[in-house]
């Protein structure tokens, strides 16, 4: 035993070794001693958040850029507030570590055997752990210092291997107990493929790539989650085949690349993309997850599309199980399939829209206008709202420059996620996110944390006064007729721009393009706090690529 080395220090050191530089936290007496005695003196900066949901979303946004994120909460009253954020990270394969400060063994036994309850207890030692075991890949309870190193190493290795959340119960009486120091460096577990399935899958796909006259590659989210961007780009260039993405994987590869055509997400896609998908005689979907966002008014052609994702290949009646995506790409690259010659649709040049400076802003007009401010140093984020449609068609040139939680789609995610993104980004990058007004009402306190730590995201709140996307999903004809909105979709009005006075940041309220231009100029010049821009649009104004459902 290394005298003086403790369980609390072990967890800090392992997190730091994995690249964690910031820990999102809410003060709680069951976790506060670990934070004060071990995290505070370390090189990991504590980001004191305002609530557990925001902390979880911030850690999620951070992990998408850094490869790992973490939050520390207190037992039950804190941890159970973070369930939604952890669930979203689980669905979207984001490596997140939830550290739950937990009552001591003595307090737990006293409660279980006498009924005398310490605060936050619900029904004993299993409540929190059982709540999280369905939305994490590992749940551990650190209640023995000799087992702590093994348990912590196992959990963290699973986190970086599966790219999904883990749950660690750190008992308050374990933190200062001695344990062995770390040995070696944690690495992801090896990826495994069945050799027969792999060979058959490579042969099937290469045969189709060789015989197809108009193949297309559909780049999915797993290319990002598994760190396969370079290999995917090498394959695309070797084949000289055009590629599209999905909203989940938008800008995983640079959208300035000559072979990039656009985002393929049903009828929300551009005409160039849907025409390309329709005329392609073979589509290779690499790491694509099928969700209802992918099939908006449109179903993939399963007879001509090979899906390689979730460790399997599916093509027509063929199924190849246990085929790792990385191994599949390597196998196709090794076959040196002859490159194709195909005429691509001409890319439309973006230019500032011709609108009057006093014209009322529309939903589509806003997105046409904002494109000019997005460059290779911009990270764009979109919340679950009608902003999905507007942002889908934006040109985002920076690889990895787009963030959206579009599979789980928890409204209110992007504001606090911007906190984590700001802390994880490069110094020369700027964060610009788009939220609906309904979603922003759920997590508006993100402005407090961002102001406190001098972070400078630009948050556009598209203010139409309704839960627009919920109305669109339920009855979209409301947007093209005189029918009223569902009462449950009508929001209480906020003066969002004035929130800057509450939190000490900068804010604007705009209704014309001149006001919008002035606000964006001011926000870009503000480097020391968040900027919130309240963009007024008519309640029945929606992006052009959402109108197909309103007829």
């Amino acid at each position: 035993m290394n005298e003086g080395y403790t369980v609390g220090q072990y967890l800090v050191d392992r997190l730091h070794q994995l690249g964690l530089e910031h820990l999102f936290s809410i003060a709680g007496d069951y976790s506060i001693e670990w934070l004060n005695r071990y995290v505070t003196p370390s090189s990991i900066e504590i980001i004191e958040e305002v609530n557990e949901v925001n902390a979880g979303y911030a850690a999620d946004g951070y992990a998408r850029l850094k490869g790992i994120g973490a939050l520390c909460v207190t037992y039950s009253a804190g941890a159970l507030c973070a369930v939604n954020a952890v669930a979203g990270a689980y669905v979207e394969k984001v490596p997140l570590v939830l550290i739950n400060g937990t009552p001591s063994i003595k307090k737990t036994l006293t409660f279980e055997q006498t009924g005398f309850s310490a605060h936050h207890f619900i029904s004993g030692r299993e409540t929190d752990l059982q709540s999280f075991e369905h939305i994490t890949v590992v749940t551990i309870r650190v209640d023995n210092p000799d087992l702590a190193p093994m348990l912590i190493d196992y959990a963290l290795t699973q986190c970086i291997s599966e790219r999904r959340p883990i749950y660690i119960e750190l008992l308050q009486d374990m933190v200062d107990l001695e344990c062995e120091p770390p040995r070696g460096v944690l690495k992801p577990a090896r990826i495994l493929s069945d050799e027969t399935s792999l060979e058959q899958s490579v042969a099937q796909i290469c045969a189709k790539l060789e015989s197809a006259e108009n193949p297309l590659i559909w780049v999915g989210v797993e290319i990002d989650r598994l760190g396969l961007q370079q290999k995917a780009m090498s394959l695309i260039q070797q084949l000289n085949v055009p590629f599209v993405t999905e909203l989940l994987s938008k800008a995983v590869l640079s959208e300035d690349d000559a072979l990039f055509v656009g985002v393929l997400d049903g009828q929300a896609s551009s005409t160039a993309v849907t025409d390309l998908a329709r005329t392609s005689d073979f589509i290779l979907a690499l790491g694509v997850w099928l969700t209802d966002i992918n099939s908006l008014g449109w179903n993939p052609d399963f007879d001509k599309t090979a899906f390689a994702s979730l460790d399997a290949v599916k093509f027509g009646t063929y199924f190849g199980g246990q085929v790792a995506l990385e191994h599949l790409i390597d196998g196709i690259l090794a076959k040196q399939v002859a490159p194709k010659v195909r005429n691509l649709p001409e890319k439309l040049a973006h230019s500032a829209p011709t609108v009057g400076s006093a014209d009322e802003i529309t939903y589509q007009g806003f997105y046409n206008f904002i494109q000019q401010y997005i460059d290779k140093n911009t990270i764009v984020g979109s919340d679950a709202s009608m902003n999905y449609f507007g942002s889908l068609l934006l040109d985002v040139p920076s690889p990895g420059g787009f963030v959206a939680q579009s599979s789980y789609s928890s409204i209110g995610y992007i504001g606090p996620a911007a906190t984590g993104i700001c802390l994880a980004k490069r110094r020369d990058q700027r964060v610009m996110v788009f939220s609906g007004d309904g979603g922003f009402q759920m997590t508006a306190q993100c402005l407090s944390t961002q102001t406190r730590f001098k972070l400078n995201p630009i948050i556009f709140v598209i203010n139409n006064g309704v839960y627009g996307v919920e109305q669109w999903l339920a009855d979209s004809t409301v947007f093209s007729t005189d029918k009223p909105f569902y009462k449950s979709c009508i929001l209480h009005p906020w003066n969002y721009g004035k929130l800057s006075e509450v939190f000490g940041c900068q804010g604007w309220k705009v209704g014309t393009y001149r006001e919008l231009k002035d606000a964006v100029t001011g926000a870009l010049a503000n480097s020391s706090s968040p900027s919130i821009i309240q963009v007024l649009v008519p309640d029945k104004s929606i992006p052009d690529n959402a109108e197909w459902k309103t007829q």
Side-chain angles (χ1 to χ4, degrees):
M1 188 75 67
N2 190 313
E3 188 173 347
Y5 193 87
T6 63
V7 172
Q9 189 63 50
Y10 191 99
L11 182 54
V12 168
D13 288 346
R14 279 306 200 198
L15 289 170
H16 181 255
Q17 286 175 6
L18 292 176
L20 191 77
E21 297 178 346
H22 300 87
L23 174 72
F24 302 91
S25 179
I26 307 293
D29 59 328
Y30 293 135
S31 58
I32 202 164
E33 293 304 327
W34 178 66
L35 292 168
N36 287 348
R37 287 209 288 271
Y38 295 99
V39 184
T40 298
S42 77
S43 57
I44 298 174
E45 182 182 3
I46 297 175
I47 305 299
E48 293 86 359
E49 265 288 2
V50 291
N51 61 58
E52 289 80 6
V53 173
N54 280 21
Y57 289 156
D60 178 297
Y62 184 90
R64 288 176 190 243
L65 271 66
K66 291 284 286 185
I68 192 166
L71 66 154
C72 179
V73 298
T74 198
Y75 199 68
S76 287
L80 297 181
C81 289
V83 165
N84 190 53
V86 175
Y90 181 85
V91 169
E92 304 229 342
K93 296 200 77 168
V94 178
L96 197 66
V97 180
L98 174 65
I99 300 151
N100 190 6
T102 302
S104 67
I105 293 174
K106 181 179 179 180
K107 288 178 180 176
T108 303
L109 290 172
T110 300
F111 175 53
E112 290 176 341
Q113 297 187 31
T114 71
F116 183 87
S117 179
H119 58 281
H120 300 338
F121 266 129
I122 299 174
S123 61
R125 71 182 71 193
E126 298 295 322
T127 309
D128 285 22
L129 190 141
Q130 288 178 348
S131 298
F132 282 96
E133 66 182 5
H134 302 289
I135 53 174
T136 60
V137 289
V138 170
T139 55
I140 64 168
R141 180 178 170 87
V142 180
D143 57 5
N144 184 302
D146 295 336
L147 299 179
M150 177 184 67
L151 289 170
I152 292 170
D153 284 2
Y154 168 66
L156 291 175
T157 300
Q158 282 289 87
C159 181
I160 60 176
S161 300
E162 297 293 328
R163 277 84 171 179
R164 276 190 160 136
I166 61 169
Y167 170 84
I168 297 176
E169 279 191 0
L170 183 62
L171 273 65
Q172 63 181 146
D173 53 341
M174 294 292 114
V175 171
D176 294 328
L177 298 185
E178 293 182 359
C179 71
E180 293 290 341
R183 297 178 181 177
V185 177
L186 299 181
K187 298 178 181 178
R190 287 178 297 148
I191 56 173
L192 302 174
S193 291
D194 177 83
E195 287 301 321
T196 301
S197 290
L198 177 61
E199 290 174 9
Q200 291 175 347
S201 298
V202 169
Q204 287 260 355
I205 290 171
C206 286
K208 288 300 296 183
L209 286 169
E210 288 170 346
S211 64
E213 294 183 2
N214 297 306
L216 173 67
I217 291 181
W218 193 6
V219 175
V221 66
E222 286 188 2
I223 294 298
D224 172 71
R225 300 299 192 263
L226 303 178
L228 301 178
Q229 293 92 331
Q230 285 297 114
K231 291 190 175 186
M233 199 69 244
S234 295
L235 179 61
I236 290 165
Q237 291 171 342
Q238 183 188 98
L239 296 171
N240 194 39
V241 168
F243 73 96
V244 294
T245 57
E246 53 181 340
L247 185 59
L248 265 170
S249 59
K250 180 175 170 60
V252 164
L253 306 177
S254 175
E255 295 189 347
D256 274 356
D257 191 272
L259 291 170
F260 175 71
V261 181
V263 177
L264 178 58
D265 276 319
Q267 292 194 45
S269 313
S270 68
T271 301
V273 170
T274 53
D275 287 348
L276 189 69
R278 189 184 66 256
T279 58
S280 294
D281 49 358
F282 176 60
I283 300 175
L284 175 56
L286 297 174
V288 170
W289 294 347
L290 289 179
T291 73
D292 53 2
I293 300 296
N294 297 121
S295 56
L296 289 167
W298 169 86
N299 289 315
D301 188 335
F302 294 100
D303 290 332
K304 70 175 185 181
T305 306
F307 289 92
S309 56
L310 305 173
D311 289 326
V313 174
K314 290 85 68 177
F315 180 37
T317 60
Y318 173 77
F319 177 80
Q322 198 183 358
V323 178
L325 185 57
E326 182 174 1
H327 293 163
L328 180 75
I329 295 174
D330 287 341
I332 300 170
L333 281 167
K335 294 296 182 182
Q336 296 285 315
V337 177
K340 299 290 178 178
V341 178
R342 185 172 185 183
N343 294 325
L344 298 180
E346 188 175 342
K347 288 192 175 183
L348 297 175
H350 290 290
S351 58
T354 54
V355 292
S357 60
D359 287 356
E360 178 184 55
I361 300 170
T362 65
Y363 224 123
Q364 185 60 50
F366 168 78
Y367 275 97
N368 293 341
F369 184 88
I370 209 67
Q371 177 66 69
Q372 63 189 302
Y373 297 100
I374 297 171
D375 59 24
K376 61 183 178 63
N377 293 320
T378 308
I379 297 178
V380 175
S382 180
D383 207 39
S385 60
M386 299 309 291
N387 287 292
Y388 275 175
F389 294 94
S391 61
L392 185 148
L393 298 181
L394 287 173
D395 178 20
V396 180
S398 175
F402 184 81
V403 176
Q405 195 200 45
S406 61
S407 180
Y408 189 64
S409 283
S410 184
I411 291 175
Y413 163 83
I414 201 61
T419 304
I421 296 168
C422 283
L423 291 164
K425 70 175 179 62
R426 301 193 315 263
R427 287 183 179 273
D428 62 342
Q429 291 178 308
R430 193 69 186 268
V431 177
M432 185 180 291
V433 301
F434 310 112
S435 175
D437 42 1
F440 192 75
Q441 288 190 8
M442 295 183 179
T443 53
Q445 290 163 286
C446 63
L447 292 173
S448 177
T449 306
Q450 292 159 3
T451 302
R452 177 177 183 174
F453 289 94
K454 294 181 169 53
L455 306 178
N456 62 357
I458 302 173
I459 300 176
F460 294 91
V461 178
I462 311 301
N463 181 195
N464 57 7
V466 294
Y467 282 122
V469 73
E470 305 299 342
Q471 180 65 68
W472 185 87
L473 289 167
D475 180 5
S476 56
T477 62
V478 166
F479 291 97
S480 59
T481 66
D482 293 332
K483 291 165 65 174
F485 287 98
Y486 290 5
K487 185 178 179 182
S488 58
C489 290
I490 298 174
L491 298 170
H492 178 70
W494 285 19
N495 194 339
Y496 300 92
K498 288 291 185 179
L499 290 175
S500 60
E501 298 177 14
V502 176
F503 296 111
C505 55
Q506 292 192 25
W508 293 262
K509 181 178 181 178
V510 304
T512 67
Y513 291 101
R514 165 56 64 187
E515 292 169 345
L516 178 58
K517 181 180 180 180
D518 291 345
V520 174
T521 301
L524 289 170
N526 174 27
S527 60
S528 59
S529 77
S531 298
I532 177 171
I533 302 178
Q534 177 183 357
V535 182
L536 300 172
V537 299
D539 57 3
K540 293 197 175 183
S541 175
I542 60 176
D544 289 351
N545 58 337
E547 289 183 350
W548 59 271
K549 193 172 181 284
T550 65
Q551 306 306 315

